[in-house]
Amino acid sequence: MEASSSGITNGKNKVFHAEGGLDLQSHQLDMQILPDGPKSDVDFSEILNAIQEMAKDVNILFDELEAVNSPCKDDDSLLHPGNLTSTSEDTSRLEAGGETVRERNKSNGLYFRDGKCRIDYILVYRKSNPQTEKREVFERNIRAEGLQMEKESSLINSDIIFVKLHAPWEVLGRYAEQMNVRMPFRRKIYYLPRRYKFMSRIDKQISRFRRWLPKKPMRLDKETLPDLEENDCYTAPFSQQRIHHFIIHNKDTFFNNATRSRIVHHILQRIKYEEGKNKIGLNRLLTNGSYEAAFPLHEGSYRSKNSIKTHGAVNHRHLLYECWASWGVWYKYQPLDLVRRYFGEKIGLYFAWLGWYTGMLFPAAFIGLFVFLYGVTTLDHCQVSKEVCQATDIIMCPVCDKYCPFMRLSDSCVYAKVTHLFDNGATVFFAVFMAVWATVFLEFWKRRRAVIAYDWDLIDWEEEEEEIRPQFEAKYSKKERMNPISGKPEPYQAFTDKCSRLIVSASGIFFMICVVIAAVFGIVIYRVVTVSTFAAFKWALIRNNSQVATTGTAVCINFCIIMLLNVLYEKVALLLTNLEQPRTESEWENSFTLKMFLFQFVNLNSSTFYIAFFLGRFTGHPGAYLRLINRWRLEECHPSGCLIDLCMQMGIIMVLKQTWNNFMELGYPLIQNWWTRRKVRQEHGTERKINFPQWEKDYNLQPMNAYGLFDEYLEMILQFGFTTIFVAAFPLAPLLALLNNIIEIRLDAYKFVTQWRRPLASRAKDIGIWYGILEGIGILSVITNAFVIAITSDFIPRLVYAYKYGPCAGQGEAGQKCMVGYVNASLSVFRISDFENRSEPESDGSEFSGTPLKYCRYRDYRDPPHSLAPYGYTLQFWHVLAARLAFIIVFETSRKI
C-alpha cells in the first residue's frame, strides 16, 4: 500500500464526541511511512487538540482543517484498517517497523527491489527478439527523461524480460504541468443552514417512520465500505510555481496510481527509438514487435482469505471485486467513485451510462411485457384469429412457383394467434410510449452526466487540455502555427490536405456500405430461391412450413455474414481513420467510432429493414408477379401477415448477438487465462507452488482490446437500436435487453477487475460521439415505429374496416363485434386459369373438394376477375392507404409536440 502521513475520512464519516474528542474508530488512518521517505514534522497531539477546539462549531468546515488533517478521497487511506496505524501510537514505533514495510513491499510485486520505488509501468520483451538496437535507444532515452528503470526476468521463461519503470517526483511534477493534470488544491466549504423548529419536527417524524421501513437493499453497506459518494476536493491544473496551493501530505501518494501510470505512458509515447521525426512512441515499438506488452499494474490480488466485512479490503482491486464485480451484488448500485479512481473517468462514465440505461429499461420492459400479456389474455376474444382458424373453406393461392401447393387459410391459425400476441390494441400505445421514452432517456442522461461531471470536477475540463497524438505530431511537425488559445506553437494540418483525406475516407465508407447492401441482396435471392426448395421437401413438417423455414435459415445465414463482415469492417475503419490523421485521441476515437457504427448498423439492420418495409410490398398479384432479373418471383408474406417474419428476425438476431457477445467478452478471456495457467502447471509441475510477482500475474492476463471501450459501447448502442427502432413489432425487446444488461454490468466489471490487465486511466467529460449516435437512433426509432404500425402491421386496415366497412360502420365503434367479416374483406379472388405458365402449380387443388379448383384467394384489395377492371385496386385500398399516411403524419407530429 502507498504511504500517507495522516488523515480522516471525509463527508459523512466526520463524527465528533460530545466532549470535543474525535472518534477514531469511524475513520481509517494510514500512518505507514516508508523508512527513507519524507516524514511529517507535525506533532500529532497538537493536531488532535486543534481538532477538539474546532469541533465546537460544526456548521462550517474550514479550509485549514484540510491543510492539516483531511486527505482527499483519492488517498489510499480508504483501505482496510488491518494495515493502518492509529494516530495515538508513537512515531518511533512506525520507524521501527519500516523494515517490515519495506520487506512487504518487496514481496507484493508492486515496488522495486529496494521496496521504496513504486512500479508505475511495465514493459515486456523477449531477449531473442532481434529489435535490440531500437530497445536500447528507447531505454536510454527513457533514462534521459528521468524515469528510473529496473529489469527482471520471468520466473516461467527466462527469455521474457520485464522492464519496471518508476517516475520520481520531479518527473511527475514536470509532466503533470504539461498535461494539465487536475489535482486537489483546497477543500470545499459546506454551510449547514439553520432549520426552523417546525421543519426539525417534521424531520424527526420522518426519521421515526423510516426506522420501521426496511433498509435500502440496493445500496452498498456504508459500515463496511468507504463512503465514496461525495468528493470534497476542488481541483485545478497542476503547476509547480503554485505548488503551495495544492494539498500535499506525502509526495509519494499525491499522484495516485492511475495518474502516475498515465503520466508515464504520456512520456513513453513521445520518446524516440531511432533518429528521425517519425521514429517515436511506444505504440510503434509494440506494433513492430520490439516489446510484447506494456501496461500499468493492478494493485495486488482481488481475493483475500479474510472477509471484507471483518478485516476490510486488502487493496482497491479487492474492494472493487467485493462490492462491484462479484456476482453476489448484482442487484446493488455501482460504486462509481471507486471505479473512477481505479480505472479513470472514461471507464467510470461508461459504467455510469450503462447503469443509467439499465435502470431506464425497467419501465420500458414492464410496458412491453404488459403488451405481450394483454395479447395473451385477449387471444380467445380476437375476432380476426377466430375467423382465420375457422376458415377451412377459404383456399389460398400458392406462395411460390410450381412446387408450392394450395393451402387452407385455417392452416395459418397458429401464426395468426402468434401475430396477435405482438400486434394488438396496445401496440400503438407502446410505440408512442417508446418514442417518448427514448427522448426522456436522453434528456435525463444529460442531467445525470452533469451531476457526475460536477462531482468528478470535469466541468472545466476541455478538449484543448488533451495532448496531440504522437502520430499527428510526427507527421506535421515541420508545419507549425501559434495556437490562438494557448499561444504556443503546435503542428498544423493544411486545409487542402485534410479535405483530400476526408474525401478518400468518405469514398471508402460508401464502398463498404455498398458491400453490405450486396450481401443483403444475396440474402433476398436466397429467400426467393429456397422457398420453392422447402416447398418440395420430403419432410411434411418443413414442406408445410416452407416460409417459416426460409425465414429462419435466412436469419441464421445473415447472422453468420454479419459476424464475418465485422472482421473486414474493423480493418477498413482502422485504415481509413489513420488515413485521416486526426489531431487528438478524442478525434481519432470519434472518427473510428462513427465509421464502425455505420458499418455495423447497416450490416445488422439492413435485412430487418427489408423485411419490415419491402417484403411482400412489391410482389404484384397472381398472374402478374414482379420478378427479380425477370427470373425469380419476389417473396410474399405469410397469409397471416409479414409481422411474424419481422418478429423472428429481431428475436433470433438479438438473442444470438447478445449470447455471442457475452461469450466473447467473458468466455474467451477465461479460456485464455485457464490455458496459460495450465501450461505453467505442465512446465513446473502441480506440486511446486510458484509465488509470482504482480507484474507476472498481470502479464498472464488478457490485454484490453486495442480500441478501448469501443466494443462495449457498440454492443450497447446496437442493442439500444434493437430496443427502440422496431420495438412496435417486438415488444419483448426491452425485457430481453434488461435481462442482458443486468448480467452485462457484472460481467464487464468481473472482466475488468479479474480477467484483463489494468487499462490505462484516461480522462473524459462525457461519452463522446456516442451521445450524438443515440440521438440519431432516437429520431430514427420514431420514424420506423410509425411505418411499422402503419405499413407492416394490420392495425390500420382493421381500423378502417371497423369504422367504414364492418357491421359497426358509421356508429363510431371499433370493438371485436365490429371486426366480423374482416378476413374475407381483406382477401381478393383470383381465377386459377389466369396463372402464368411458369407460375402454374403442379397440383390442381382437387385434394380439397375432389374437383379442380377454379378460384383461390390472396392478400390484397383488388377487384375480382369478372369485374370491368380485373385485378384493379378497390376503393377500400385507397381508404387504407390514406389512413396509413394520416397515421404516420399524426404520429410524427405528436412526438414533436
Side-chain angles (χ1 to χ4, degrees), residues 63 95 97 103 196 292 295 322 335 382 408 431 450 460 481 500 505 515 532 538 551 636 706 739 780 840 870 896:
D63 290 345
E95 296 175 351
E103 292 298 327
Y196 294 101
E292 281 199 353
F295 52 89
E322 292 291 341
C382 179
R408 288 188 175 91
D460 297 332
R481 72 171 183 176
S500 61
S505 178
V515 171
S532 300
K538 295 181 179 180
T551 301
E636 292 186 40
L739 297 177
L780 181 62
E840 188 175 358
K896 293 180 179 178

PDB file of all heavy atoms in Angstrom, residues 63 95 97 103 196 292 295 322 335 382 408 431 450 460 481 500 505 515 532 538 551 636 706 739 780 840 870 896:
ATOM      1  N   ASP A  63     -11.199  25.486   5.718  1.00  0.00           N
ATOM      2  CA  ASP A  63     -10.154  25.018   4.809  1.00  0.00           C
ATOM      3  C   ASP A  63      -8.915  24.598   5.577  1.00  0.00           C
ATOM      4  O   ASP A  63      -8.170  23.728   5.144  1.00  0.00           O
ATOM      5  CB  ASP A  63      -9.782  26.117   3.821  1.00  0.00           C
ATOM      6  CG  ASP A  63     -10.903  26.370   2.842  1.00  0.00           C
ATOM      7  OD1 ASP A  63     -11.804  25.528   2.755  1.00  0.00           O
ATOM      8  OD2 ASP A  63     -10.850  27.410   2.158  1.00  0.00           O
ATOM      9  N   GLU A  95       8.744   4.065  12.807  1.00  0.00           N
ATOM     10  CA  GLU A  95      10.075   3.998  12.222  1.00  0.00           C
ATOM     11  C   GLU A  95      10.718   2.643  12.459  1.00  0.00           C
ATOM     12  O   GLU A  95      11.441   2.111  11.608  1.00  0.00           O
ATOM     13  CB  GLU A  95      10.935   5.110  12.815  1.00  0.00           C
ATOM     14  CG  GLU A  95      10.423   6.520  12.456  1.00  0.00           C
ATOM     15  CD  GLU A  95      11.224   7.592  13.154  1.00  0.00           C
ATOM     16  OE1 GLU A  95      12.038   7.232  14.033  1.00  0.00           O
ATOM     17  OE2 GLU A  95      11.038   8.781  12.830  1.00  0.00           O
ATOM     18  N   GLY A  97       9.156  -0.130  12.551  1.00  0.00           N
ATOM     19  CA  GLY A  97       8.539  -1.107  11.647  1.00  0.00           C
ATOM     20  C   GLY A  97       8.779  -0.807  10.197  1.00  0.00           C
ATOM     21  O   GLY A  97       8.153  -1.424   9.341  1.00  0.00           O
ATOM     22  N   GLU A 103      10.075  -4.882   3.464  1.00  0.00           N
ATOM     23  CA  GLU A 103      10.068  -6.290   3.078  1.00  0.00           C
ATOM     24  C   GLU A 103       8.730  -6.677   2.461  1.00  0.00           C
ATOM     25  O   GLU A 103       8.675  -7.447   1.502  1.00  0.00           O
ATOM     26  CB  GLU A 103      10.368  -7.170   4.307  1.00  0.00           C
ATOM     27  CG  GLU A 103      11.784  -7.032   4.832  1.00  0.00           C
ATOM     28  CD  GLU A 103      12.815  -7.466   3.800  1.00  0.00           C
ATOM     29  OE1 GLU A 103      12.510  -8.393   3.021  1.00  0.00           O
ATOM     30  OE2 GLU A 103      13.901  -6.870   3.766  1.00  0.00           O
ATOM     31  N   TYR A 196     -35.886  25.712  10.609  1.00  0.00           N
ATOM     32  CA  TYR A 196     -36.909  26.167  11.543  1.00  0.00           C
ATOM     33  C   TYR A 196     -37.330  25.002  12.429  1.00  0.00           C
ATOM     34  O   TYR A 196     -37.154  23.840  12.100  1.00  0.00           O
ATOM     35  CB  TYR A 196     -38.121  26.703  10.778  1.00  0.00           C
ATOM     36  CG  TYR A 196     -37.827  27.949   9.997  1.00  0.00           C
ATOM     37  CD1 TYR A 196     -37.616  27.879   8.616  1.00  0.00           C
ATOM     38  CD2 TYR A 196     -37.743  29.181  10.619  1.00  0.00           C
ATOM     39  CE1 TYR A 196     -37.338  29.016   7.882  1.00  0.00           C
ATOM     40  CE2 TYR A 196     -37.464  30.337   9.895  1.00  0.00           C
ATOM     41  CZ  TYR A 196     -37.268  30.243   8.517  1.00  0.00           C
ATOM     42  OH  TYR A 196     -36.989  31.375   7.798  1.00  0.00           O
ATOM     43  N   GLU A 292       6.584  -6.796 -26.318  1.00  0.00           N
ATOM     44  CA  GLU A 292       5.403  -7.646 -26.418  1.00  0.00           C
ATOM     45  C   GLU A 292       4.197  -7.031 -25.736  1.00  0.00           C
ATOM     46  O   GLU A 292       3.070  -7.229 -26.175  1.00  0.00           O
ATOM     47  CB  GLU A 292       5.686  -9.014 -25.794  1.00  0.00           C
ATOM     48  CG  GLU A 292       6.469  -9.940 -26.694  1.00  0.00           C
ATOM     49  CD  GLU A 292       6.320 -11.380 -26.257  1.00  0.00           C
ATOM     50  OE1 GLU A 292       5.726 -11.626 -25.187  1.00  0.00           O
ATOM     51  OE2 GLU A 292       6.791 -12.266 -26.986  1.00  0.00           O
ATOM     52  N   PHE A 295       1.828  -2.143 -19.866  1.00  0.00           N
ATOM     53  CA  PHE A 295       0.620  -1.995 -19.060  1.00  0.00           C
ATOM     54  C   PHE A 295       0.974  -1.498 -17.665  1.00  0.00           C
ATOM     55  O   PHE A 295       2.077  -1.737 -17.168  1.00  0.00           O
ATOM     56  CB  PHE A 295      -0.118  -3.333 -18.945  1.00  0.00           C
ATOM     57  CG  PHE A 295       0.741  -4.476 -18.473  1.00  0.00           C
ATOM     58  CD1 PHE A 295       0.877  -4.748 -17.117  1.00  0.00           C
ATOM     59  CD2 PHE A 295       1.426  -5.280 -19.377  1.00  0.00           C
ATOM     60  CE1 PHE A 295       1.663  -5.798 -16.676  1.00  0.00           C
ATOM     61  CE2 PHE A 295       2.204  -6.333 -18.956  1.00  0.00           C
ATOM     62  CZ  PHE A 295       2.331  -6.593 -17.597  1.00  0.00           C
ATOM     63  N   GLU A 322     -15.218  -7.087  -4.466  1.00  0.00           N
ATOM     64  CA  GLU A 322     -16.230  -7.461  -3.485  1.00  0.00           C
ATOM     65  C   GLU A 322     -17.508  -6.648  -3.618  1.00  0.00           C
ATOM     66  O   GLU A 322     -18.604  -7.185  -3.452  1.00  0.00           O
ATOM     67  CB  GLU A 322     -15.656  -7.289  -2.067  1.00  0.00           C
ATOM     68  CG  GLU A 322     -14.550  -8.272  -1.717  1.00  0.00           C
ATOM     69  CD  GLU A 322     -15.063  -9.694  -1.577  1.00  0.00           C
ATOM     70  OE1 GLU A 322     -16.285  -9.854  -1.393  1.00  0.00           O
ATOM     71  OE2 GLU A 322     -14.256 -10.640  -1.648  1.00  0.00           O
ATOM     72  N   PRO A 335     -20.444   1.302  -7.305  1.00  0.00           N
ATOM     73  CA  PRO A 335     -19.607   2.322  -6.638  1.00  0.00           C
ATOM     74  C   PRO A 335     -18.814   3.114  -7.682  1.00  0.00           C
ATOM     75  O   PRO A 335     -17.626   2.873  -7.913  1.00  0.00           O
ATOM     76  CB  PRO A 335     -18.695   1.473  -5.741  1.00  0.00           C
ATOM     77  CG  PRO A 335     -18.568   0.173  -6.464  1.00  0.00           C
ATOM     78  CD  PRO A 335     -19.874  -0.061  -7.167  1.00  0.00           C
ATOM     79  N   CYS A 382     -60.171 -12.523 -29.795  1.00  0.00           N
ATOM     80  CA  CYS A 382     -59.783 -11.848 -31.034  1.00  0.00           C
ATOM     81  C   CYS A 382     -60.606 -12.409 -32.197  1.00  0.00           C
ATOM     82  O   CYS A 382     -60.496 -13.597 -32.530  1.00  0.00           O
ATOM     83  CB  CYS A 382     -58.283 -12.026 -31.289  1.00  0.00           C
ATOM     84  SG  CYS A 382     -57.721 -11.236 -32.813  1.00  0.00           S
ATOM     85  N   ARG A 408     -55.221 -24.222 -47.156  1.00  0.00           N
ATOM     86  CA  ARG A 408     -56.365 -23.625 -46.471  1.00  0.00           C
ATOM     87  C   ARG A 408     -55.892 -22.461 -45.594  1.00  0.00           C
ATOM     88  O   ARG A 408     -54.802 -22.502 -45.030  1.00  0.00           O
ATOM     89  CB  ARG A 408     -57.068 -24.654 -45.598  1.00  0.00           C
ATOM     90  CG  ARG A 408     -57.843 -25.708 -46.365  1.00  0.00           C
ATOM     91  CD  ARG A 408     -58.661 -26.550 -45.406  1.00  0.00           C
ATOM     92  NE  ARG A 408     -59.510 -27.509 -46.118  1.00  0.00           N
ATOM     93  CZ  ARG A 408     -59.150 -28.741 -46.423  1.00  0.00           C
ATOM     94  NH1 ARG A 408     -57.941 -29.185 -46.090  1.00  0.00           N
ATOM     95  NH2 ARG A 408     -59.985 -29.535 -47.060  1.00  0.00           N
ATOM     96  N   ALA A 431     -45.820   1.872 -28.824  1.00  0.00           N
ATOM     97  CA  ALA A 431     -44.953   2.589 -29.755  1.00  0.00           C
ATOM     98  C   ALA A 431     -44.839   4.056 -29.371  1.00  0.00           C
ATOM     99  O   ALA A 431     -43.747   4.646 -29.406  1.00  0.00           O
ATOM    100  CB  ALA A 431     -45.488   2.444 -31.178  1.00  0.00           C
ATOM    101  N   ALA A 450     -24.363  15.676 -16.012  1.00  0.00           N
ATOM    102  CA  ALA A 450     -23.965  16.947 -15.403  1.00  0.00           C
ATOM    103  C   ALA A 450     -23.645  16.781 -13.921  1.00  0.00           C
ATOM    104  O   ALA A 450     -22.688  17.382 -13.409  1.00  0.00           O
ATOM    105  CB  ALA A 450     -25.074  17.980 -15.597  1.00  0.00           C
ATOM    106  N   ASP A 460     -14.906  22.014 -15.953  1.00  0.00           N
ATOM    107  CA  ASP A 460     -13.950  22.944 -16.554  1.00  0.00           C
ATOM    108  C   ASP A 460     -12.954  22.256 -17.466  1.00  0.00           C
ATOM    109  O   ASP A 460     -12.124  22.934 -18.080  1.00  0.00           O
ATOM    110  CB  ASP A 460     -13.190  23.705 -15.455  1.00  0.00           C
ATOM    111  CG  ASP A 460     -14.126  24.572 -14.626  1.00  0.00           C
ATOM    112  OD1 ASP A 460     -15.156  24.998 -15.180  1.00  0.00           O
ATOM    113  OD2 ASP A 460     -13.836  24.803 -13.444  1.00  0.00           O
ATOM    114  N   ARG A 481       2.056  26.366 -36.290  1.00  0.00           N
ATOM    115  CA  ARG A 481       1.437  27.682 -36.174  1.00  0.00           C
ATOM    116  C   ARG A 481       1.101  27.910 -34.711  1.00  0.00           C
ATOM    117  O   ARG A 481       1.043  26.965 -33.902  1.00  0.00           O
ATOM    118  CB  ARG A 481       0.183  27.783 -37.038  1.00  0.00           C
ATOM    119  CG  ARG A 481      -0.992  26.976 -36.511  1.00  0.00           C
ATOM    120  CD  ARG A 481      -2.259  27.288 -37.265  1.00  0.00           C
ATOM    121  NE  ARG A 481      -3.386  26.560 -36.718  1.00  0.00           N
ATOM    122  CZ  ARG A 481      -4.645  26.706 -37.159  1.00  0.00           C
ATOM    123  NH1 ARG A 481      -4.896  27.535 -38.162  1.00  0.00           N
ATOM    124  NH2 ARG A 481      -5.619  26.012 -36.612  1.00  0.00           N
ATOM    125  N   SER A 500      -8.729  16.419 -48.717  1.00  0.00           N
ATOM    126  CA  SER A 500      -8.435  15.283 -49.589  1.00  0.00           C
ATOM    127  C   SER A 500      -8.501  13.968 -48.822  1.00  0.00           C
ATOM    128  O   SER A 500      -9.025  12.962 -49.319  1.00  0.00           O
ATOM    129  CB  SER A 500      -7.067  15.462 -50.233  1.00  0.00           C
ATOM    130  OG  SER A 500      -6.044  15.520 -49.247  1.00  0.00           O
ATOM    131  N   SER A 505     -11.638   8.994 -47.395  1.00  0.00           N
ATOM    132  CA  SER A 505     -12.269   8.223 -46.325  1.00  0.00           C
ATOM    133  C   SER A 505     -13.760   8.053 -46.575  1.00  0.00           C
ATOM    134  O   SER A 505     -14.314   6.959 -46.394  1.00  0.00           O
ATOM    135  CB  SER A 505     -12.034   8.919 -44.983  1.00  0.00           C
ATOM    136  OG  SER A 505     -12.667   8.235 -43.936  1.00  0.00           O
ATOM    137  N   VAL A 515     -21.094  -2.813 -50.137  1.00  0.00           N
ATOM    138  CA  VAL A 515     -20.818  -4.238 -49.901  1.00  0.00           C
ATOM    139  C   VAL A 515     -21.902  -4.846 -49.011  1.00  0.00           C
ATOM    140  O   VAL A 515     -22.371  -5.976 -49.251  1.00  0.00           O
ATOM    141  CB  VAL A 515     -19.426  -4.411 -49.275  1.00  0.00           C
ATOM    142  CG1 VAL A 515     -19.206  -5.853 -48.830  1.00  0.00           C
ATOM    143  CG2 VAL A 515     -18.341  -4.003 -50.256  1.00  0.00           C
ATOM    144  N   SER A 532     -39.108 -22.268 -52.707  1.00  0.00           N
ATOM    145  CA  SER A 532     -39.598 -23.353 -53.566  1.00  0.00           C
ATOM    146  C   SER A 532     -38.958 -24.675 -53.204  1.00  0.00           C
ATOM    147  O   SER A 532     -39.601 -25.739 -53.261  1.00  0.00           O
ATOM    148  CB  SER A 532     -39.309 -23.021 -55.031  1.00  0.00           C
ATOM    149  OG  SER A 532     -39.944 -21.823 -55.423  1.00  0.00           O
ATOM    150  N   LYS A 538     -39.129 -33.363 -48.730  1.00  0.00           N
ATOM    151  CA  LYS A 538     -39.772 -34.640 -48.430  1.00  0.00           C
ATOM    152  C   LYS A 538     -40.450 -34.624 -47.066  1.00  0.00           C
ATOM    153  O   LYS A 538     -41.499 -35.240 -46.901  1.00  0.00           O
ATOM    154  CB  LYS A 538     -38.748 -35.772 -48.486  1.00  0.00           C
ATOM    155  CG  LYS A 538     -38.158 -36.014 -49.872  1.00  0.00           C
ATOM    156  CD  LYS A 538     -37.179 -37.160 -49.848  1.00  0.00           C
ATOM    157  CE  LYS A 538     -36.603 -37.432 -51.238  1.00  0.00           C
ATOM    158  NZ  LYS A 538     -35.632 -38.555 -51.233  1.00  0.00           N
ATOM    159  N   THR A 551     -37.416 -18.237 -43.644  1.00  0.00           N
ATOM    160  CA  THR A 551     -37.075 -17.079 -42.815  1.00  0.00           C
ATOM    161  C   THR A 551     -36.047 -17.441 -41.760  1.00  0.00           C
ATOM    162  O   THR A 551     -35.071 -16.707 -41.528  1.00  0.00           O
ATOM    163  CB  THR A 551     -38.342 -16.524 -42.145  1.00  0.00           C
ATOM    164  OG1 THR A 551     -39.290 -16.155 -43.141  1.00  0.00           O
ATOM    165  CG2 THR A 551     -38.019 -15.312 -41.291  1.00  0.00           C
ATOM    166  N   GLU A 636     -43.455 -13.471 -51.005  1.00  0.00           N
ATOM    167  CA  GLU A 636     -44.686 -12.918 -50.447  1.00  0.00           C
ATOM    168  C   GLU A 636     -44.717 -13.100 -48.941  1.00  0.00           C
ATOM    169  O   GLU A 636     -43.969 -13.899 -48.366  1.00  0.00           O
ATOM    170  CB  GLU A 636     -45.899 -13.621 -51.060  1.00  0.00           C
ATOM    171  CG  GLU A 636     -46.109 -13.344 -52.524  1.00  0.00           C
ATOM    172  CD  GLU A 636     -47.406 -13.954 -53.014  1.00  0.00           C
ATOM    173  OE1 GLU A 636     -48.406 -13.898 -52.271  1.00  0.00           O
ATOM    174  OE2 GLU A 636     -47.415 -14.498 -54.126  1.00  0.00           O
ATOM    175  N   ALA A 706      -7.641  -3.223 -28.347  1.00  0.00           N
ATOM    176  CA  ALA A 706      -6.865  -2.067 -28.784  1.00  0.00           C
ATOM    177  C   ALA A 706      -7.691  -0.797 -28.899  1.00  0.00           C
ATOM    178  O   ALA A 706      -7.133   0.296 -28.920  1.00  0.00           O
ATOM    179  CB  ALA A 706      -6.204  -2.373 -30.129  1.00  0.00           C
ATOM    180  N   LEU A 739     -32.666  -7.914 -19.123  1.00  0.00           N
ATOM    181  CA  LEU A 739     -32.054  -9.116 -18.555  1.00  0.00           C
ATOM    182  C   LEU A 739     -30.587  -9.232 -18.974  1.00  0.00           C
ATOM    183  O   LEU A 739     -29.727  -9.618 -18.177  1.00  0.00           O
ATOM    184  CB  LEU A 739     -32.835 -10.355 -18.996  1.00  0.00           C
ATOM    185  CG  LEU A 739     -34.294 -10.432 -18.519  1.00  0.00           C
ATOM    186  CD1 LEU A 739     -34.977 -11.662 -19.091  1.00  0.00           C
ATOM    187  CD2 LEU A 739     -34.367 -10.422 -17.007  1.00  0.00           C
ATOM    188  N   LEU A 780     -34.632   8.161 -35.507  1.00  0.00           N
ATOM    189  CA  LEU A 780     -34.949   7.093 -36.453  1.00  0.00           C
ATOM    190  C   LEU A 780     -35.997   6.138 -35.900  1.00  0.00           C
ATOM    191  O   LEU A 780     -36.844   5.623 -36.642  1.00  0.00           O
ATOM    192  CB  LEU A 780     -33.675   6.331 -36.820  1.00  0.00           C
ATOM    193  CG  LEU A 780     -33.812   5.188 -37.826  1.00  0.00           C
ATOM    194  CD1 LEU A 780     -34.307   5.717 -39.172  1.00  0.00           C
ATOM    195  CD2 LEU A 780     -32.494   4.453 -37.986  1.00  0.00           C
ATOM    196  N   GLU A 840     -47.833 -21.589 -62.750  1.00  0.00           N
ATOM    197  CA  GLU A 840     -48.928 -22.526 -62.536  1.00  0.00           C
ATOM    198  C   GLU A 840     -48.479 -23.681 -61.651  1.00  0.00           C
ATOM    199  O   GLU A 840     -47.482 -24.344 -61.924  1.00  0.00           O
ATOM    200  CB  GLU A 840     -49.414 -23.068 -63.881  1.00  0.00           C
ATOM    201  CG  GLU A 840     -50.674 -23.913 -63.766  1.00  0.00           C
ATOM    202  CD  GLU A 840     -51.193 -24.321 -65.132  1.00  0.00           C
ATOM    203  OE1 GLU A 840     -50.586 -23.915 -66.151  1.00  0.00           O
ATOM    204  OE2 GLU A 840     -52.195 -25.055 -65.182  1.00  0.00           O
ATOM    205  N   PRO A 870     -60.455  -5.978 -64.248  1.00  0.00           N
ATOM    206  CA  PRO A 870     -59.992  -7.136 -63.454  1.00  0.00           C
ATOM    207  C   PRO A 870     -58.678  -6.831 -62.721  1.00  0.00           C
ATOM    208  O   PRO A 870     -57.758  -6.250 -63.301  1.00  0.00           O
ATOM    209  CB  PRO A 870     -59.809  -8.232 -64.501  1.00  0.00           C
ATOM    210  CG  PRO A 870     -60.649  -7.809 -65.658  1.00  0.00           C
ATOM    211  CD  PRO A 870     -60.607  -6.314 -65.673  1.00  0.00           C
ATOM    212  N   LYS A 896     -43.215  15.254 -31.820  1.00  0.00           N
ATOM    213  CA  LYS A 896     -42.547  16.547 -31.736  1.00  0.00           C
ATOM    214  C   LYS A 896     -43.203  17.438 -30.693  1.00  0.00           C
ATOM    215  O   LYS A 896     -42.549  18.209 -30.002  1.00  0.00           O
ATOM    216  CB  LYS A 896     -42.565  17.222 -33.106  1.00  0.00           C
ATOM    217  CG  LYS A 896     -41.727  16.496 -34.158  1.00  0.00           C
ATOM    218  CD  LYS A 896     -41.772  17.211 -35.489  1.00  0.00           C
ATOM    219  CE  LYS A 896     -40.908  16.468 -36.521  1.00  0.00           C
ATOM    220  NZ  LYS A 896     -40.968  17.128 -37.857  1.00  0.00           N
TER     221      LYS A 896
END
